[in-house]
């Protein structure tokens, strides 16, 4: 019996080649898109999950409450980890660590910046860091020690040398002893670094981090087995408040599962409210949409061609075939096509992975020995075959034998309605994807083109250190003399996010219960011109006033607004209870964070001899030669430092890397969704043209023009696509309104996007259907009417 069913199926495929190829193509493309998305989703879901005892690893975090907001932060006091470990037995291991930054290392004639962290020794006992050389218990227990990645060690010490015990120079001043070598962190780790240094060494030169009222370093821990994290959070909630009694702390401490933070990293009013998991959910829905569109093609073509298989069903029923066996046969046929599609889609996945990885910034590969992955692939194919074949199977198996053998079978209203409904549903999903892609693209363009309140184009920044830091005025004078250089200045901020902030300001008539966080920016007198800031009133710092400007302060508009000051210039505020500062100017608001956030309060302090970030504005002509001269000048001061710089607009664009990648993925999947929908429409229009061939022949004989016949053939499909457009507009508006609401500044959702998307879908549908319509209209009527 099985052999007979298989033989029948393959004969049917051979007899109806066009339908078979359309179904095979649609399912293959749909499965390819779905598999790529599932691979991306699996990679996202596995970030930070590879560590041993991952359920016991936690991030120590804070809720900080201010008058206008409460936010969660990774920044903690620099001694919180060791103190929690000492005072609470729930913590088995705990380590503070610093943020990623580039560190200069030298060996012989080699000088490179390496990205690294300062960590405590427990860091190696919390995370699964694979050691090549060294004893895990002794890695960073002594001062002036360092642990290198395997690639970094090879760079300085050669391919085969064990560098443990060897010395390497740090920042051209300090000899560090290598105590270990680790293998590079895997791609699915949020921790990426080339070197790890001793945290106690860092703490000695950053004494502020030992103050319970200051935050900056991060903290991670491993809990003892069986620890109730909710109960632990209740115990440590007021830990910093109890330590920082003098400053009336606004901090609540809590632990959060480290492996969950990547996907669930956003909080609102102390409640987890989203994160990258929203993108994961979004693309799971996209994968289901694309696969559904492919399945609908199969259903439509199978039911449309039901009359051609009616006699087969009638004969099988007349010789005793049950409805169940017929259902099994038709579902079996869809399963066969699905598994054919599986092999083609796997080939497509392998061919497209390099491009897909380039778009997503990942290094995904297919591990065919992974049982989870194989079960997803096979399970998806099985469900696809079942969904694709279910409706055609039940419909075909329900055909009455007598009617089918008499040839009196006609398409029922119910069948036609279902088929049209599936086309509407299919195109609705496609139009939703088109609209969403356009809105995402427009928002990304808006973020790149919006006037931020400063000029990010042709602005170069670099780290100020060593001789340049100490002899800044001389360095600045020489750089300003370079042809093509317009302005030079230094600051403490990158203006690409929060760098340093404080709530320690007092002003006249301040509400004693008010606690407002201000960004604290150190500036020199040329920063306004270099960055392109605009003054609203007053003046900026000036070299004319010299050191007296160190007692002055400048706010942005938002800062003045939250303080409620009128005519602020000339008023005095108190900083950190000790410094009286006169307001001399107000700068127009500018965005120094992602556009997801509104402009925050900010102030500038004048410190011309401080600031570790150098900014140079250059002319757009001869950028290459200007940069070369800038590098020569830099090297003349810091000969042993490589000159590494960034363009401000490039770094700003990196703030939206996730959105850019999501937009690119949405674009490609929308194209494939439309392509699959058009394949189905092409097949249906071909079948319709075949069914109406005699009608077309008669109309041509009676004088109908090709144009009128094309319009006649396209009319029904046009109605279906128009219904799809009207359905998709409110749905896509609702979904995109939720997404775009996450941005404090957005391009909005404009009416023309929906019109343009609808027209685009309509034109694509017309082109698809017109091909078959024109072909049918041009056919010689003699061929279609010769049997009459």
């Amino acid at each position: 019996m099985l052999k007979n069913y298989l033989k029948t199926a393959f004969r049917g495929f051979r007899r109806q080649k066009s339908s078979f190829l359309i179904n095979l193509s649609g399912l293959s493309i749909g499965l390819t898109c779905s598999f790529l998305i599932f691979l991306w989703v699996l990679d996202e879901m596995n970030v930070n999950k590879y560590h041993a005892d991952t359920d016991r690893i936690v991030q120590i975090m804070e809720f900080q409450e201010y008058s206008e907001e409460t936010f969660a932060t990774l920044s903690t006091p620099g001694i919180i980890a060791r103190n929690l470990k000492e005072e609470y037995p729930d913590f088995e291991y705990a380590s503070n660590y610093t943020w990623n930054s580039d560190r200069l290392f030298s060996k012989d004639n080699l000088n490179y910046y390496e990205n690294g962290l300062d960590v405590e020794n427990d860091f190696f006992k919390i995370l699964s860091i694979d050691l090549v050389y060294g004893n895990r218990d002794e890695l960073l227990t002594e001062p002036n020690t360092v642990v290198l990645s395997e690639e970094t060690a090879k760079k300085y010490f050669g391919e085969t040398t064990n560098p443990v015990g060897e010395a390497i120079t740090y920042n051209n001043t300090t000899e560090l002893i290598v105590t270990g070598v680790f293998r590079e962190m895997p791609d699915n780790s949020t921790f990426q670094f080339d070197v790890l240094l001793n945290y106690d060494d860092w703490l000695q030169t950053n004494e502020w981090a030992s103050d319970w009222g200051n935050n900056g370093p991060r903290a991670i821990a491993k809990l003892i087995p069986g620890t109730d994290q909710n109960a632990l959070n209740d115990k440590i909630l007021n830990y910093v408040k109890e330590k920082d009694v003098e400053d009336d702390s606004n901090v609540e401490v809590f632990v959060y599962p480290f492996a969950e933070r990547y996907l669930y990293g956003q909080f609102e009013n102390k409640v987890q409210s989203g994160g990258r998991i929203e993108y994961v959910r979004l693309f799971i829905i996209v994968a289901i949409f694309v696969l559904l569109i492919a399945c609908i093609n199969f259903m439509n073509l199978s039911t449309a061609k039901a009359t051609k298989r009616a006699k087969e069903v009638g004969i099988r029923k007349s010789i005793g075939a049950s409805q169940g066996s017929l259902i099994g046969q038709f579902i079996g046929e869809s399963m066969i096509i699905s598994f054919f599609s599986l092999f083609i889609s796997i080939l497509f996945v392998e061919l497209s992975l390099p491009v897909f990885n380039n778009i997503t910034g990942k290094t995904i590969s297919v591990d065919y020995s992974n049982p989870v992955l194989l079960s997803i692939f096979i399970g998806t194919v099985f469900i696809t075959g079942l969904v694709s074949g279910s409706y055609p199977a039940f419909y075909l198996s329900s055909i009455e034998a007598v009617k089918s053998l008499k040839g009196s079978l006609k398409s029922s209203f119910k069948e036609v309605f279902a088929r049209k409904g599936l086309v509407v549903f299919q195109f609705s999903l496609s139009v939703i994807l088109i609209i969403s892609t356009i809105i995402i693209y427009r928002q990304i363009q808006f973020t790149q083109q919006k006037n931020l309140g400063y000029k990010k184009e042709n602005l170069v920044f670099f780290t100020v250190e060593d001789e340049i830091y100490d002899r800044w005025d001389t360095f600045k004078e020489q750089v300003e003399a370079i042809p093509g250089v317009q302005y030079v200045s230094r600051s403490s901020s990158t203006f690409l996010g929060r760098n340093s902030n404080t709530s320690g300001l007092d002003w006249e008539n301040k509400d004693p219960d008010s606690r407002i966080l201000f960004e604290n920016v150190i500036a020199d007198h040329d920063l306004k011109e270099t960055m392109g800031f605009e003054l609203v009133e007053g003046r900026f710092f000036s070299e004319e006033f010299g050191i007296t400007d160190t007692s002055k302060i400048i706010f942005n508009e938002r800062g003045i607004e939250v303080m409620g000051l009128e005519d602020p210039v000339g008023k005095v505020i108190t900083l950190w209870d000790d410094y009286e500062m006169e307001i001399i100017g107000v700068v127009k608001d500018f965005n120094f964070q992602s556009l997801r956030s509104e402009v925050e309060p900010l102030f500038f302090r004048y410190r011309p001899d401080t600031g570790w970030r150098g900014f140079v504005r250059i002319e757009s002509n001869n950028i290459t030669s200007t940069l070369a001269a800038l590098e020569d000048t830099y090297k003349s001061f810091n000969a042993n430092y490589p000159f590494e710089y960034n363009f401000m607009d490039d770094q700003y664009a990196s703030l939206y890397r996730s959105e850019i990648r999501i937009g690119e993925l949405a674009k490609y999947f929308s194209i494939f969704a439309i392509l699959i929908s058009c394949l189905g429409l092409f097949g249906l229009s071909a079948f319709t043209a075949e069914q109406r061939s005699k009608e077309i022949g008669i109309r041509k004989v009676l004088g109908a023009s090709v144009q009128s016949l094309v319009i006649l053939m396209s009319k029904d499909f046009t109605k279906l696509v128009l219904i799809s457009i009207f359905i998709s507009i409110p749905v896509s508006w609702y979904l995109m309104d939720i997404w775009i609401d996450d941005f404090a500044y957005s391009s909005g959702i404009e009416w023309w996007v929906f019109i343009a998307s609808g027209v685009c879908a309509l034109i694509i549908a017309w082109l698809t259907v017109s091909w078959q319509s024109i072909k049918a209209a041009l056919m010689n009527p003699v061929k279609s009417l010769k049997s009459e």
Side-chain angles (χ1 to χ4, degrees):
M1 182 66 74
L2 179 61
K3 181 180 178 181
N4 183 42
Y5 282 164
L6 289 173
K7 190 181 292 184
T8 302
F10 283 110
R11 283 174 179 170
F13 297 157
R14 191 166 58 247
R15 191 167 53 250
Q16 299 180 15
K17 292 187 183 70
S18 61
S19 297
F20 172 71
L21 290 174
I22 288 172
N23 284 330
L24 186 66
S25 302
L27 287 177
S28 297
I29 296 170
L31 285 171
T32 301
C33 293
S34 299
F35 288 160
L36 287 172
I37 291 173
F38 289 148
L39 287 169
W40 180 81
V41 167
L42 278 177
D43 190 82
E44 290 284 289
M45 298 292 284
N46 284 323
V47 169
N48 290 335
K49 299 283 179 69
Y50 68 93
H51 298 286
D53 305 316
T54 186
D55 58 316
R56 294 198 283 133
I57 302 175
V58 294
Q59 188 84 43
I60 301 170
M61 300 178 65
E62 290 183 352
F63 286 125
Q64 295 185 10
E65 296 187 46
Y66 297 93
S67 299
E68 296 190 332
E69 63 178 332
T70 296
F71 62 84
T73 177
L74 300 180
S75 297
T76 57
I79 52 175
I80 193 171
R82 59 185 64 176
N83 279 268
L84 283 173
K85 179 183 174 184
E86 288 176 5
E87 297 178 34
Y88 292 90
D90 308 80
F91 293 90
E92 183 177 11
Y93 302 108
S95 170
N96 272 105
Y97 61 94
T98 58
W99 48 90
N100 283 75
S101 61
D102 291 335
R103 323 296 180 91
L104 180 66
F105 283 86
S106 307
K107 178 72 176 175
D108 299 328
N109 294 321
L110 301 173
N111 298 281
Y112 296 106
Y113 281 107
E114 310 293 349
N115 191 268
L117 311 172
D118 304 274
V119 304
E120 299 182 80
N121 196 60
D122 274 4
F123 192 79
F124 298 95
K125 299 171 184 176
I126 298 169
L127 302 178
S128 296
I129 300 175
D130 192 6
L131 288 181
V132 180
Y133 302 112
N135 183 334
R136 195 174 299 271
D137 293 327
E138 301 174 357
L139 291 175
L140 295 174
T141 54
E142 298 295 326
N144 296 330
T145 51
V146 64
V147 182
L148 308 177
S149 72
E150 191 171 20
E151 288 302 313
T152 305
K154 289 177 181 178
K155 186 192 302 184
Y156 293 100
F157 296 97
E159 291 284 335
T160 59
T161 304
N162 176 358
V164 171
E166 298 289 335
I168 190 169
T169 304
Y170 174 56
N171 275 350
N172 286 323
T173 57
T174 308
E175 291 287 315
L176 301 183
I177 302 300
V178 179
T179 57
V181 175
F182 60 88
R183 288 193 173 86
E184 271 64 29
M185 301 297 284
D187 292 323
N188 62 343
S189 170
T190 52
F191 277 115
Q192 297 293 332
F193 40 75
D194 302 311
V195 296
L196 294 171
L197 295 90
N198 189 306
Y199 183 78
D200 284 331
D201 291 343
W202 179 86
L203 204 57
Q204 285 182 8
T205 56
N206 293 272
E207 295 181 0
W208 60 268
S210 298
D211 189 328
W212 286 102
N214 288 330
N215 294 284
R218 288 78 164 113
I220 194 170
K222 180 180 281 190
L223 307 178
I224 63 171
T227 300
D228 184 334
Q229 292 185 24
N230 291 326
L232 176 60
N233 282 337
D234 291 337
K235 287 192 285 186
I236 66 173
L237 180 68
N238 296 314
Y239 185 73
V240 171
K241 290 182 179 179
E242 293 167 359
K243 298 286 185 181
D244 189 29
V245 179
E246 293 182 3
D247 290 335
D248 186 26
S249 175
N250 64 328
V251 168
E252 292 181 354
V253 181
F254 68 101
V255 298
Y256 192 77
F258 173 71
E260 301 298 318
R261 189 172 60 79
Y262 175 75
L263 290 177
Y264 302 91
Q266 290 183 4
F267 292 84
E268 187 173 340
N269 295 323
K270 302 182 183 180
V271 177
Q272 195 281 323
S273 62
R276 286 186 66 88
I277 189 63
E278 294 175 355
Y279 288 130
V280 170
R281 291 168 180 158
L282 171 67
F283 275 100
I284 288 175
I285 293 171
V286 170
I288 294 170
F289 276 12
V290 173
L291 211 50
L292 266 178
I293 291 170
C295 291
I296 288 169
N297 278 357
F298 189 99
M299 293 179 191
N300 270 338
L301 285 176
S302 298
T303 53
K305 292 182 177 290
T307 52
K308 292 196 172 185
R309 302 198 65 178
K311 288 186 178 178
E312 176 194 340
V313 173
I315 292 170
R316 286 187 179 277
K317 279 192 170 184
S318 65
I319 59 176
S322 65
Q323 186 174 359
S325 65
L326 290 170
I327 290 172
Q329 176 192 341
F330 294 126
I331 287 181
E333 289 177 12
S334 72
M335 287 290 183
I336 292 170
I337 295 178
S338 293
F339 275 93
F340 278 160
S341 303
L342 169 64
F343 296 114
I344 296 172
S345 63
I346 287 174
L347 176 63
F348 285 169
V349 166
E350 290 292 345
L351 292 174
S352 58
L353 263 179
V355 177
F356 185 74
N357 283 333
N358 186 50
I359 294 171
T360 59
K362 292 184 177 290
T363 54
I364 296 171
S365 59
V366 184
D367 180 8
Y368 296 103
S369 64
N370 184 340
V372 175
L373 194 61
L374 286 178
S375 62
I376 288 175
F377 277 21
I378 294 172
T380 302
V381 170
F382 181 80
I383 293 170
T384 301
L386 200 61
V387 172
S388 301
S390 56
Y391 178 70
F394 282 101
Y395 173 74
L396 288 168
S397 64
S398 66
I399 293 173
E400 294 181 28
V402 175
K403 288 185 178 180
S404 63
L405 292 173
K406 283 184 177 180
S408 58
L409 184 70
K410 294 182 179 179
S411 295
S412 67
F413 171 78
K414 182 179 177 183
E415 178 235 321
V416 173
F417 182 78
R419 190 159 66 244
K420 289 182 176 180
L422 288 172
V423 170
V424 168
F425 181 68
Q426 182 184 49
F427 256 86
S428 295
L429 296 181
S430 300
V431 176
I432 287 170
L433 287 174
I434 291 173
I435 292 171
S436 302
T437 301
I438 293 174
I439 292 173
I440 290 171
Y441 175 78
R442 290 190 71 249
Q443 177 60 22
I444 292 168
Q445 290 296 106
F446 174 80
T447 61
Q448 302 304 304
Q449 297 172 3
K450 182 182 182 298
N451 181 0
L452 302 177
Y454 67 89
K455 300 172 184 176
K456 64 181 184 296
E457 293 77 22
N458 300 322
L459 185 62
V460 173
F461 68 91
F462 53 91
T463 302
V464 176
E465 52 194 333
D466 204 36
E467 284 294 307
I468 294 177
Y469 189 96
D470 295 334
R471 300 170 56 201
W472 172 257
D473 289 341
T474 307
F475 172 77
K476 179 180 178 181
E477 185 179 340
Q478 292 187 20
V479 171
E480 287 175 331
I482 296 173
V485 170
Q486 294 178 314
Y487 299 104
V488 184
S489 64
R490 70 196 296 194
S491 175
S492 61
S493 177
T494 61
F495 302 105
L496 294 169
R498 287 187 180 274
N499 292 112
S500 175
N501 39 72
T502 181
S503 59
L505 284 82
D506 285 299
W507 56 89
E508 186 180 358
N509 299 321
K510 178 186 178 184
D511 182 348
D513 296 326
S514 172
R515 187 187 291 268
I516 300 172
L517 193 66
F518 289 78
E519 187 70 7
N520 169 19
V521 179
I522 290 172
D524 70 359
H525 51 269
D526 283 329
L527 188 64
K528 172 183 167 293
E529 284 75 18
T530 305
M531 298 298 299
F533 298 140
E534 295 181 36
L535 270 176
V536 176
E537 55 183 303
R539 66 174 179 87
F540 204 75
F541 304 122
S542 172
E543 201 171 14
E544 295 178 17
F545 294 90
I547 198 169
T548 60
D549 264 1
T550 58
S551 62
K552 314 300 181 185
I553 194 167
I554 297 170
F555 285 90
N556 66 349
E557 292 174 296
R558 180 62 179 154
I560 297 298
E561 179 186 343
V562 298
M563 290 190 292
L565 298 180
E566 296 182 5
D567 300 320
V569 174
K571 286 189 167 61
V572 175
I573 65 101
T574 304
L575 181 63
W576 300 317
D577 297 327
D578 293 323
Y579 305 100
E580 290 193 345
M581 314 281 287
E582 179 189 355
I583 301 174
I584 60 169
V586 179
V587 168
K588 187 177 177 65
D589 281 341
F590 61 93
N591 292 92
F592 58 91
Q593 299 184 90
S594 162
L595 294 185
R596 290 184 179 276
S597 305
E598 293 185 354
V599 174
E600 303 285 352
L602 171 147
F603 63 81
F604 293 97
R605 292 186 298 138
Y606 184 54
R607 295 291 184 274
D609 57 346
T610 309
W612 40 93
R613 195 72 63 188
F615 292 90
V616 178
R617 180 166 295 283
I618 59 180
E619 295 175 352
S620 56
N621 299 328
N622 300 320
I623 290 177
T624 303
S625 60
T626 303
L627 288 174
L630 178 58
E631 180 175 9
D632 290 341
T633 306
Y634 182 95
K635 288 282 192 180
S636 69
F637 283 80
N638 284 349
N640 294 324
Y641 286 78
F643 179 57
E644 295 192 357
Y645 63 89
N646 292 285
F647 278 97
M648 194 73 172
D649 48 2
D650 290 341
Q651 291 301 298
Y652 174 78
S654 70
L655 294 177
Y656 305 95
R657 189 171 288 122
S658 293
E659 284 78 13
I660 291 170
R661 286 170 175 166
I662 294 300
E664 283 292 299
L665 287 177
K667 177 180 73 176
Y668 287 115
F669 290 134
S670 298
I671 292 170
F672 286 125
I674 282 290
L675 176 60
I676 297 169
S677 297
C678 289
L679 279 172
L681 210 56
F682 182 84
L684 280 177
S685 60
F687 174 72
T688 303
E690 183 183 343
Q691 268 192 329
R692 301 178 69 174
S693 60
K694 287 185 173 61
E695 176 193 347
I696 293 168
I698 293 170
R699 287 179 180 273
K700 287 196 75 173
V701 169
L702 294 176
S705 65
V706 172
Q707 181 182 354
S708 64
L709 290 172
V710 171
I711 292 173
L712 176 71
M713 295 285 290
S714 304
K715 184 172 64 175
D716 287 342
F717 290 110
T718 300
K719 290 178 183 176
L720 297 180
V721 175
L722 284 173
I723 293 170
S724 302
I725 292 168
F726 285 118
I727 291 173
S728 63
I729 285 174
V731 175
S732 55
W733 179 88
Y734 174 75
L735 294 174
M736 284 294 96
D737 186 59
I738 293 173
W739 179 78
I740 213 163
D741 192 52
D742 199 33
F743 290 85
Y745 305 92
S746 71
S747 59
I749 301 177
E750 298 187 83
W751 61 269
W752 66 263
V753 171
F754 302 101
I755 303 299
S757 301
V759 170
C760 177
L762 202 56
I763 290 172
I764 292 170
W766 275 340
L767 291 174
T768 304
V769 174
S770 296
W771 172 262
Q772 290 295 341
S773 301
I774 294 170
K775 182 180 175 183
L778 292 174
M779 187 176 64
N780 188 342
V782 175
K783 290 184 179 180
S784 57
L785 297 175
K786 64 182 179 181
S787 60
E788 294 298 310

